[in-house]
Each structure stands twice: as C-alpha cells, then as structure tokens.
Amino acid sequence: MAMSPDGKTRLDRRFDDLSAAGRAGLVTFITAGDPDTEISRRILAGLPEAGADIIELGMPFSDPMADGPAIQASSQRALKSGQTLKKTLDMVRGFRARDDATPIVLMGYFNPIYIYGAGRFLSDARDAGVDGLIVVDLPPEEDDELCLPALKAGLNFIRLATPTTDDRRLGAVLANTSGFVYYVSIAGITGTRAPDMAGVETALERLKARTRLPVAVGFGVTTVDQVRAIGKVGDAVVVGSALVNIIEKRAQAGAGAGETVDSALDFVRQLALGVKADS
Amino acid sequence: MSTKPPREVNSYRTGPDERGRFGIYGGRFVAETLMPLILDLEAAYEEAGKDPAFQAELDDLLAHYAGRPSPLYFAERLSGHLGGAKIYFKRDELNHTGSHKINNCLGQILLARRMNKTRIIAETGAGQHGVAVATVAARFGLPCVVFMGATDIERQKPNVFRMKLLGADVRAVTSGSGTLKDAMNEALRDWVANVADTFYIIGTAAGPHPYPAMVRDFQSVIGNEVREQIMAAEGRLPDCLVACVGGGSNAIGLFHPFLDDDEVEMFGIEAGGLGIDTPDHAASLSGGSPGVLHGNRTYLLQDDDGQILEGHSISAGLDYPGIGPEHAWLRDTGRVTYVPASDAQALDAFQLCTRLEGIIPALEPAHALAFVTQHAPALGADKILVMNMCGRGDKDVFAVAEHLGAEM
C-alpha cells in the first residue's frame, strides 16, 4: 500500500524529498508494452537510476483522443504486441518488488478501467504498488465513477489543469485532486507544440495561489533546456512524447532490445541534467 | 455492470438529466481542456432555446433553404408487393444535400454564429454529414475542416468532391482503421488544439452532453412533421416507426416525438454487416456492451480489455462502433426494439425499392427497408408503418455496382 503510517503517500514523500533537495522532479512517461512487454519492462526498471523521480506509465487505449501522433503510435504498438490492462498491472508489481520509493502513476482513458471493473481495478492497482491515477476523460463532473473511490482506496487521483481551466472551474478541478496537479502547458494534444514559458509562469502563480499541492508541468516538453526552464518554476517537469519517439525510432530502425533500452535511458539521463540542483 | 432499466418511467421524453444522462448512459467523459467549451455550449444552447428569434431563423432556413417539410409519401407499390401494412416513407432524402443531416447542421451553425465562433470542424463517415456541414459553412461564409477516414474517402469519392467544391478542407485520417471513429478522434484533437475560435458540429446524436440532446432536438423536426402529416393522411397515429441507426440521429429525430404514445411501436435497424455472429458488423446494441468512448457512456463494440473494435458495414454511414446514448437507454427500457439487417439484406432492399418505387435509397435507410420487407407482411392491412427514408442513394451507386459485379 502506498500510504505510510504518517498518512503520506509515496508521491507526497517524493515531493517532500525533492523540496528538501531544492530541486524540481523529472517525471517520465512511457506506454506500458511499447514496443513490447519485455523491452518496456526493462526501460521501466532502468528509469529511476537514469534520473526519473516519478514514473507515468501509460495504459494503452485504441482511441487516445487527447494524445498526439507519438503517443497514439505507442499505444498501437503496445496493443499490437498484446498489452492488456492486466499485463500493465503485472509490470508495476514486478517493478515494485525491487523499488519501493519511486512513485508510479498510471495514465490513460476510462474505458479499459470501466471494462476491467472500477472497484476490482482499484484494489488490484493498489496491491500492485500503483500510487496514482491520471484518467484523461474523467473530468470533475464524473468524479463518482473513479476519482472518489480511488481516494477512498488510498490512491492519489491527479487532475489535469489546462489553459482553458478558468477561475470558475479551478475550484472544481482542485477539489478532489491529490498527490500533485498536472498543468497541461498547451491547449492541445500531447507532444505537438512547445510550451509558452510566460504562459506557464502565469498559470503556475494562479495555481499556487489556490493549492498547496505540488504542480507538475507537461505536454510538449522535449529538450533538456525546456526541462531546466520549467524546473525553475514548477515542482516537476513531465516528458512523454519525446521519450516515446526515441523508442519508436529505435524500434523502426530494427534495433535490438538492449539498444532500444539504452537509447531511452540515455535520453532520460540527459533530461535529468535539467533538474540537477547545480545545473 | 448494471444495465437495468430505470425503476419507473412516467415519460420517455424528459431526458437527459442535469448531468447529461439517460439512465446510466450519456454524460461528459471529456478531457479537461474541453470541459469549459461544452459547458459554454450547453448554456448557449439553453439560451437559444428561449429566444424566439433563434427558432424563427432556423424555421426560415429549414423551409426555404433545406426544403422542409419533407413529404410523407405512401409507398403504394411496395405496400402492395409486400402485402401487409400500409407503408409510408418520410422523404428526408429530398432535403437539400440529400439527407436528414442538414436539419442538425443548420441548427448548429446558427448556434456557432451566436457563440461568435469563426471556424467549423466536423467528422464524417459516408460523407453525408460532411457535405451538409460544408454546405452550411459555405452558406454562412465560415471556413470548414472535415475529418474523414482514409478508407471512407476511398469509398465515398463523390461526396469528397462535393465537399471540396463547397470549399471545405477535407483531411484524410489514417490513424486506426481510417473510418468514422478515427475521424471523430481527430476532430476532437483538433478541437482541443483550437478551443478559442472553433465550433465542432457533431453529426450524430452522440458525444458529450449536450450534443446527444441537441442533435436530437434539431432532428425532431422529422417526427414532429410525421405526426401532423399522418394525422392529415390517415386521421391517426402510425402503428409502427422504422429507422436505421448508426449513431442514431435520424432515428431519434423520428422516434422522440412519439415516445410517449404507447400504441406506436418503434424499430431501430442496425448494420448487421456479414452477420452479428461474425466480427464484421456494426450492431453495437445487438452485439456490443456498455462502455465509454467519445465523451459518453453507451453500447460499444469492444474486446475484453475495453479496446474499441472496428465496425463493418456495407454502408459507410453506419459503421460506427457506438450508438447515441439515448438509444442505449431506450433499448434497456424496452421502449424501442433494435434489430440488425445484414449487408446482403440491405442490398436486396435497395434494389427492390429502386425498381418498385423509383426511389434510389441510400444504403443506410436500405437497412431500415430490409426490416420493413420482413415486418410489413406480418402486420395486417389495417396497420400503418412509417419508415424514415433518411438519405438518397446517388452517393452509393458506385459501391452498389461493385457489390453487384456490374460494370459502370
């Protein structure tokens, strides 16, 4: 279970540690099962050592409406190689057996969870060592579907705030959010535009005035320079599509498993330089 | 999961509730980026409903631009040939642009103007909705992007060219299987990226609230006219209504005004493809299960892992793996009966109607016709059946020729 005796979750503890170290966290996204279960498992296992502070693991879905071409393609590769929600939970369980500190947040769409059965999913996810959930197509208006049961089950439910989240909605968005708030730095789909730094700073000020939760910033972050710039204002920086693109390129080039894993982890090592305190 | 009907139904016409639900179906399952937009849309639609000037402008366009009311036609030779109920066609294929889709597009583009949106996007399957959107966009001078699956572009070339002539930017969608569901994903992605100026005209009574209710309301002109026309022709309500269902907009438009008339039986005809015991069909109510896609909970074609399956139908307008949420609810309550018709049955009915009535139906209502050819003979000669002829078949003649092995 993610919750410790002091009532803090693995995510809370990780953000406490980052704050004590005076630096932002690096959050990396990969799709579970991309390009296949084995390579994906090896990348996942290597992420903490390469510098990922928090891991977002995508649950592949056939119809990822909020994702750009990179993550769409990664979902397709994963599904084609036979990935299922059950296998994704097994991956987390395997990871957790050797790493009890790095938080894992599952990210995806509601339908596979709904079909798995929300209650059964929450209990299996918690048992596997999942710390939080980001479910893109569950806005606050649908909180009773999964968010409230997840909080009850001791899992963090992380909400996205976007450039279109105005002051009227911000209260609703923050109300049942826990662990951290994910600020979507562009109005758009994942990985398609670079974030506008001035806009990010204003948005973070607005968010920080309304919540004590850490704020992670993502969608469109691709370079170590962007990681460094956003790390100066946000509590964590999320990189997804750029990492997924590396996996795609290696897979397309017919690279071996070892080479694909190394390329992905090397990229994460570079990104991690952007959040080192002395950088 | 529970698909139990609601406890008690006093009226079938009061939905959706304030959460946009019909029973457990419907809702607002969208990314946060879209939430403010659909809440704005809901408010704007509510306001428009209270503004007599909005309805007056819509009525004027429906009459003088779309050509409404469409006739209610007694299909005498088909009725005689089948030897049973008197069959009437609601001639929505005679509308401007050749299908019922224009009813909804006129309503939505007036709303877009009211909301000061300056760019229109849409998804299309068969191209009927795309043509209707491109038409109203041209009429109101707004730029328009239509997302269409690459597979559908190939099989609906005449409609693709019509959209281009009308000035629309037709974007081929190659993700997934390149059909309607993928076009809808791509339209949603475009909308998320262009929230400030863009209005998304959804073509069917599905998607996040308020779309299912709004599209139904704009299409209810069909059923409201039938009510008046059949009273004038027969002095009573029909015994039976029949319409094809893909997403279900023409069917809900015909059914909704009659839902509380217990004596009127209703049948929604799904695309049975090669048969609902095969993987190649698009009958989400007969062969699917409840799930969440494209902003609403409804019946879907999906696998055990909740991944959405591709629909198949001879008709590009019906091969959507979902269905409007109100139909899902009407199915569970038992108010409407949903029945599949196969590709082959639709093709037969297509030819029968063409020869007997001199009306070339679109392949979509040809599915409804297939059911009519079976059901009408089972009813007495004193019974009245109304079928919605929701589209004309010009766009389908190439595909039909291919299926029949004919040289063009």
Side-chain angles (χ1 to χ4, degrees):
Chain A
M1 179 141 170
M3 199 104 63
S4 64
D6 60 359
K8 292 202 168 190
T9 66
R10 217 177 258 121
L11 277 165
D12 297 335
R13 292 198 297 273
R14 179 50 51 105
F15 276 107
D16 285 351
D17 292 348
L18 288 166
S19 167
R23 68 174 181 92
L26 176 65
V27 184
T28 56
F29 173 95
I30 58 169
T31 298
D34 172 30
D36 62 40
T37 308
E38 177 54 20
I39 297 178
S40 182
R41 186 194 64 74
R42 286 172 61 183
I43 296 171
L44 179 66
L47 284 173
E49 180 275 325
D53 297 299
I54 295 167
I55 296 168
E56 275 180 24
L57 190 60
M59 301 174 278
F61 181 48
S62 53
D63 293 76
M65 280 99 58
D67 283 297
I71 293 176
Q72 287 174 43
S74 77
S75 287
Q76 292 295 328
R77 284 193 297 275
L79 291 175
K80 219 173 157 188
S81 82
Q83 191 69 16
T84 60
L85 188 47
K86 187 182 172 303
K87 285 186 183 176
T88 301
L89 292 174
D90 289 344
M91 270 179 75
V92 176
R93 191 175 296 109
F95 175 89
R96 194 52 83 217
R98 278 171 299 159
D99 183 326
D100 197 36
T102 309
I104 292 194
V105 174
L106 291 183
M107 182 167 186
Y109 296 80
F110 185 44
N111 197 53
I113 295 171
Y114 181 67
I115 296 307
Y116 193 96
R120 187 179 142 226
F121 169 78
L122 291 173
S123 100
D124 287 0
R126 196 190 48 198
D127 292 348
V130 171
D131 301 289
L133 302 173
I134 301 176
V135 183
V136 180
D137 52 354
L138 286 180
E141 280 72 5
E142 307 292 352
D143 267 358
D144 54 347
E145 297 281 342
L146 191 70
C147 172
L148 299 177
L151 296 176
K152 226 176 179 176
L155 288 167
N156 287 128
F157 199 86
I158 294 124
R159 193 97 64 192
L160 306 182
T162 76
T164 61
T165 308
D166 55 23
D167 287 329
R168 283 175 303 165
R169 277 196 66 73
L170 197 52
V173 166
L174 294 173
N176 293 317
T177 302
S178 68
F180 64 93
V181 179
Y182 188 141
Y183 180 67
V184 174
S185 56
I186 54 169
I189 52 179
T190 50
T192 47
R193 293 178 192 171
D196 144 48
M197 277 309 298
V200 169
E201 276 180 50
T202 316
L204 284 174
E205 274 168 31
R206 197 162 65 97
L207 281 170
K208 288 289 187 182
R210 300 280 293 268
T211 180
R212 295 172 63 188
L213 288 170
V215 180
V217 180
F219 275 44
V221 182
T222 57
T223 68
V224 65
D225 289 339
Q226 286 169 333
V227 168
R228 189 173 290 120
I230 290 174
K232 285 196 165 64
V233 290
D235 301 298
V237 190
V238 189
V239 181
S241 297
L243 176 55
V244 163
N245 271 332
I246 304 258
I247 297 170
E248 172 171 82
K249 273 190 200 136
R250 295 287 93 201
Q252 275 177 353
E259 199 187 333
T260 305
V261 173
D262 290 346
S263 301
L265 296 179
D266 283 346
F267 181 62
V268 173
R269 272 183 207 101
Q270 276 179 43
L271 293 173
L273 297 175
V275 291
K276 291 283 159 63
D278 52 7
S279 65
Chain B
M1 70 205 66
S2 167
T3 60
K4 244 175 29 192
R7 292 158 285 127
E8 244 176 68
V9 177
N10 297 319
S11 169
Y12 289 96
R13 304 186 64 220
T14 54
D17 65 16
E18 71 284 353
R19 298 182 65 192
R21 297 203 176 186
F22 304 89
I24 66 163
Y25 302 106
R28 288 180 283 222
F29 296 88
V30 296
E32 177 56 32
T33 316
L34 290 181
M35 271 312 301
L37 279 86
I38 63 170
L39 292 176
D40 282 352
L41 176 60
E42 186 182 347
Y45 179 56
E46 250 171 50
E47 261 178 44
K50 292 181 204 141
D51 179 359
F54 179 84
Q55 192 58 47
E57 189 177 10
L58 180 55
D59 287 347
D60 185 70
L61 284 162
L62 286 171
H64 301 106
Y65 190 66
R68 299 208 74 93
S70 66
L72 185 70
Y73 163 75
F74 173 40
E76 194 175 355
R77 292 196 70 219
L78 183 68
S79 303
H81 174 81
L82 294 172
K86 284 180 87 171
I87 298 163
Y88 281 87
F89 291 160
K90 177 60 173 168
R91 300 288 306 275
D92 253 51
E93 99 281 12
L94 292 177
N95 295 332
H96 181 39
T97 74
S99 80
H100 69 290
K101 295 293 188 187
I102 192 83
N103 306 330
N104 168 49
C105 289
L106 283 170
Q108 287 200 45
I109 202 151
L110 290 185
L111 209 50
R113 285 209 317 171
R114 228 183 138 84
M115 295 176 76
N116 297 315
K117 301 290 182 182
T118 55
R119 176 176 176 267
I120 301 295
I121 59 169
E123 85 295 338
T124 196
Q128 295 302 86
H129 174 57
V131 166
V133 171
T135 298
V136 299
R139 166 65 182 75
F140 288 95
L142 295 177
C144 160
V145 176
V146 179
F147 295 93
M148 188 167 184
T151 311
D152 287 338
I153 286 182
E154 201 44 47
R155 48 181 186 172
Q156 299 290 340
K157 282 180 189 158
N159 272 345
V160 175
F161 188 59
R162 287 165 81 195
M163 284 186 268
K164 288 181 178 166
L165 284 173
L166 290 159
D169 174 4
V170 181
R171 302 234 181 115
V173 177
T174 53
S175 60
S177 66
T179 59
L180 182 53
K181 88 172 169 78
D182 309 294
M184 197 153 180
N185 289 334
E186 215 51 45
L188 286 166
R189 290 180 188 120
D190 181 292
W191 201 22
V192 170
N194 297 285
V195 288
D197 64 346
T198 297
F199 190 100
Y200 180 14
I201 300 187
I202 294 185
T204 194
H209 179 64
Y211 280 101
M214 183 170 73
V215 175
R216 172 200 70 201
D217 294 346
F218 288 139
Q219 292 295 2
S220 289
V221 66
I222 301 171
N224 287 328
E225 285 175 7
V226 166
R227 225 182 151 86
E228 277 183 29
Q229 290 167 321
I230 200 73
M231 288 307 288
E234 296 278 355
R236 68 178 184 88
L237 295 182
D239 300 289
C240 179
L241 301 175
V242 183
C244 62
V245 290
S249 71
N250 92 83
I252 203 71
L254 174 63
F255 296 165
H256 195 259
F258 295 93
L259 286 175
D260 287 339
D261 299 295
D262 293 341
E263 68 274 31
V264 181
E265 256 199 306
M266 301 181 195
F267 295 90
I269 313 306
E270 297 193 279
L274 304 182
I276 61 161
D277 49 349
T278 77
D280 297 316
H281 65 80
S284 43
L285 291 173
S286 308
S289 58
V292 174
L293 178 72
H294 292 155
N296 58 169
R297 175 162 31 225
T298 188
Y299 278 79
L300 300 171
L301 302 179
Q302 56 187 330
D303 69 14
D304 295 344
D305 192 42
Q307 308 298 336
I308 308 306
L309 301 173
E310 296 303 333
H312 161 84
S313 169
I314 188 172
S315 145
L318 299 182
D319 73 350
Y320 178 65
I323 174 94
E326 195 164 8
H327 286 294
W329 177 72
L330 289 169
R331 172 207 186 269
D332 283 7
T333 58
R335 178 64 187 96
V336 179
T337 305
Y338 296 88
V339 182
S342 72
D343 287 355
Q345 290 172 320
L347 259 182
D348 288 347
F350 175 98
Q351 295 172 84
L352 184 72
C353 179
T354 302
R355 297 260 173 88
L356 284 179
E357 293 292 347
I359 294 172
I360 302 180
L363 282 171
E364 291 80 19
H367 286 74
L369 267 169
F371 174 79
V372 169
T373 62
Q374 293 174 343
H375 192 65
L379 299 172
D382 58 332
K383 301 291 185 189
I384 301 166
L385 180 156
V386 177
M387 190 206 93
N388 196 13
M389 183 63 77
C390 61
R392 67 175 183 230
D394 309 43
K395 71 182 172 64
D396 292 317
V397 294
F398 301 95
V400 169
E402 204 181 302
H403 283 285
L404 297 178
E407 290 281 333
M408 296 262 296

